[in-house]
Amino acid sequence: DAKTTQPTSMDCAEGRAANLPCNHSTISGNEYVYWYRQIHSQGPQYIIHGLKNNETNEMASLIITEDRKSSTLILPHATLRDTAVYYCIVTYNTDKLIFGTGTRLQVFP
Amino acid sequence: GAVVSQHPSRVICKSGTSVKIECRSLDFQATTMFWYRQFPKQSLMLMATSNEGSKATYEQGVEKDKFLINHASLTLSTLTVTSAHPEDSSFYICSARAAWIGWNNEQFFGPGTRLTVL
């Protein structure tokens, strides 16, 4: 079973920041938080991952709370092409990516 | 970099026939490749993990004699659905993990293959 909880769906206006939350209250000390997204009828795309520090790359920022029980993926300026299902995955072993139901993000004009 | 391709992208076959799906890492070597299945409106489910030159490891509930996996090289893995039935109709997705330690250890996913069994 997935060890994360995410909202089923979210809306975001184009150009605004999209903040996608993820709860992982049972995370272990050696487990990372990975984020992937899946645009309709395509394979998942890696976005970002982190252990305990906040991370930023060209796609997004990842904010992990100090107790590591939750995190937020931030898309700073959402575009229509960011409409997708976003998966938050907690794992220490990238051989085992357990995909939950994810958050369906709809970016509207 | 880190592109994974799948062929074919779509396939329609008759019940009882076998279908082969190829997964290739185009610009990197992948010691490990993974096969997932995704039914409509559901999430991805890991079917099996394959390492180059060795037998695949199947997840619980996945029939290894029905879903044959071959990982003959560092850039190619194949999934053969044998004696396909309509309930095997699904979106099959492969992924590959780069052997280069400089990567983030993430899996890179292919675009998927939509199988429809009539």
Side-chain angles (χ1 to χ4, degrees), chain A residues 76-96:
Chain A
H77 305 288
T79 70
L80 298 178
R81 287 175 294 186
D82 292 322
T83 293
V85 178
Y86 287 77
Y87 297 99
C88 168
I89 300 170
V90 167
T91 185
Y92 71 90
N93 177 5
T94 53
D95 278 1
K96 292 287 186 179

Side-chain angles (χ1 to χ4, degrees), chain B residues 98-106:
Chain B
W100 180 35
I101 60 173
W103 292 95
N104 288 318
N105 209 31
E106 71 266 30

Side-chain angles (χ1 to χ4, degrees), chain A residues 34 36 38 40-46 49 87 93-102 104, chain B residues 32 34 36 38 42-44 46 49 59 91 93 97 104-112 114:
Chain A
Y34 277 79
Y36 281 79
Q38 186 178 24
H40 182 63
S41 293
Q42 297 183 24
Q45 176 189 22
Y46 166 83
H49 78 283
Y87 297 99
N93 177 5
T94 53
D95 278 1
K96 292 287 186 179
L97 291 184
I98 299 176
F99 287 81
T101 53
R104 184 171 299 277
Chain B
T32 308
F34 308 84
Y36 294 81
Q38 185 174 33
Q42 295 186 23
S43 190
L44 285 80
L46 179 65
T49 302
E59 295 298 302
F91 192 48
I93 307 169
R97 190 172 64 206
N104 288 318
N105 209 31
E106 71 266 30
Q107 295 182 24
F108 298 99
F109 287 81
R114 175 115 12 231

Side-chain angles (χ1 to χ4, degrees), chain B residues 8-91:
Chain B
S9 58
R10 290 177 177 270
V11 57
I12 301 172
C13 69
K14 294 182 179 179
S15 185
T17 61
S18 295
V19 175
K20 179 185 285 189
I21 302 170
E22 292 185 350
C23 175
R24 293 180 185 273
S25 57
L26 297 185
D27 51 1
F28 67 99
Q29 292 184 330
T31 52
T32 308
M33 287 186 167
F34 308 84
W35 287 95
Y36 294 81
R37 180 168 55 182
Q38 185 174 33
F39 292 108
K41 299 191 183 301
Q42 295 186 23
S43 190
L44 285 80
M45 296 294 294
L46 179 65
M47 298 176 66
T49 302
S50 71
N51 291 294
E52 184 263 340
S54 61
K55 290 184 179 181
T57 302
Y58 291 81
E59 295 298 302
Q60 190 173 8
V62 178
E63 301 175 57
K64 61 180 182 180
D65 294 330
K66 181 170 182 62
F67 298 99
L68 302 179
I69 292 172
N70 185 286
H71 191 166
S73 77
L74 285 172
T75 59
L76 173 64
S77 176
T78 60
L79 168 69
T80 301
V81 183
T82 63
S83 187
H85 288 95
E87 57 265 31
D88 298 322
S89 298
S90 188
F91 192 48

Side-chain angles (χ1 to χ4, degrees), chain A residues 5-103:
Chain A
T5 304
Q6 297 178 252
T8 303
S9 63
M10 294 182 65
D11 290 339
C12 178
E14 189 177 21
R16 304 296 294 269
N19 297 284
L20 291 88
C22 180
N23 286 323
H24 32 80
S25 58
T26 61
I27 190 170
S28 300
N30 60 349
E31 290 183 314
Y32 287 77
V33 180
Y34 277 79
W35 282 84
Y36 281 79
R37 72 180 182 184
Q38 186 178 24
I39 296 171
H40 182 63
S41 293
Q42 297 183 24
Q45 176 189 22
Y46 166 83
I47 302 173
I48 199 167
H49 78 283
L51 182 62
K52 53 184 177 181
N53 296 323
N54 297 337
E55 302 288 344
T56 296
N57 62 20
E58 65 278 3
M59 289 184 68
S61 294
L62 174 61
I63 307 299
I64 303 175
T65 58
E66 192 169 344
D67 63 7
R68 301 209 322 126
K69 293 185 177 182
S70 66
S71 61
T72 301
L73 177 74
I74 301 173
L75 307 179
H77 305 288
T79 70
L80 298 178
R81 287 175 294 186
D82 292 322
T83 293
V85 178
Y86 287 77
Y87 297 99
C88 168
I89 300 170
V90 167
T91 185
Y92 71 90
N93 177 5
T94 53
D95 278 1
K96 292 287 186 179
L97 291 184
I98 299 176
F99 287 81
T101 53
T103 296

